[in-house]
Structure formats: structure tokens, C-alpha cells
Amino acid sequence: MKNEHNLQNHLLIFGIPLAIIGVLIFIAKSPIFLNHQSYLSTGITFDLLFIVPLVYFLFIRNTNIPKITVVTFFILGIILSSLIFPLQNQHFLNLCKIWVLPIVEISILVLIIFKI
């Protein structure tokens, strides 16, 4: 009974962020995207980079899942944004790669050093 409840929690924890990612990719590949590329690419990039990891964090904050796993969803958002958007619509993504990604990498490195 406990294993079934645990499985349902993990499906909820990972399923909702992955469902959000799926909807965002669907929007990015839809004909609506072609008419509003600049607005939607910025919005979808913001959602993939910040909202999805935030939703995941809100689900895992009271569990024993390590909080550092939020970075996995952030990196996944960067990779997906790089793949689904044309280069001319990656302005916000490039800013995030230049300014936010190094801060995240340094923070992880400092955290690992302090844990050791």
C-alpha cells in the first residue's frame, strides 16, 4: 500500500513538470507560434527555464528528493529551448546562457565543495 502511494507521489512530482514541458513543446510546434514567434519564444523559454523548475521544486520541497535535482529541469529547459527555437528567437535564451548558467554552475561547485 505504501509503495503504491509512493509511486503515485513520484508520478505527480515528475509527471506535472513533464506535462508542462510537453504542452510548451506542442505550442512551440503549433501554427499559432508562427504568427507570434517573438512573444511566444520568450514566454516559452521563460517557462522552460524558470517556471518548470519552480513547479518541480514546489513538489519536492517536503520530500526526501535532493533539492539539487531542480538543476536537472533547468538544464533540460536550456537544451529544449536550444532545439525547438530558431536562432533568431533565442535572444532570452542566450542571455540566460551567458549570465544565469555560469551562476548555477558556480553555485553547484561551491555546494559540492562545502559538502566534501
Side-chain angles (χ1 to χ4, degrees):
M1 187 74 155
K2 184 172 172 80
N3 287 339
E4 183 178 314
H5 181 66
N6 197 17
L7 178 64
Q8 289 175 350
N9 282 343
H10 286 295
L11 284 175
L12 183 71
I13 289 171
F14 295 107
I16 290 179
L18 291 175
I20 294 171
I21 290 171
V23 168
L24 292 172
I25 291 173
F26 176 76
I27 292 170
K29 296 299 180 183
S30 71
I32 296 170
F33 181 78
L34 296 175
N35 296 333
H36 307 286
Q37 283 187 2
S38 62
Y39 298 118
L40 285 176
S41 63
T42 301
I44 293 172
T45 301
F46 182 78
D47 288 344
L48 285 172
L49 296 181
F50 301 113
I51 301 301
V52 171
L54 176 67
V55 168
Y56 175 71
F57 173 74
L58 292 175
F59 278 116
I60 68 165
R61 70 175 185 239
N62 294 328
T63 65
N64 59 357
I65 298 173
K67 308 307 181 254
I68 195 79
T69 58
V70 172
V71 175
T72 305
F73 277 94
F74 177 74
I75 300 297
L76 181 64
I78 289 175
I79 293 168
L80 288 174
S81 294
S82 297
L83 293 175
I84 63 176
F85 297 125
L87 289 175
Q88 65 267 20
N89 293 334
Q90 292 186 6
H91 175 70
F92 184 72
L93 177 63
N94 290 333
L95 288 175
C96 188
K97 286 179 183 177
I98 292 170
W99 295 102
V100 178
L101 188 59
I103 293 171
V104 170
E105 289 174 352
I106 291 170
S107 299
I108 291 172
L109 184 63
V110 167
L111 181 73
I112 290 172
I113 290 171
F114 279 133
K115 293 278 185 176
I116 292 176

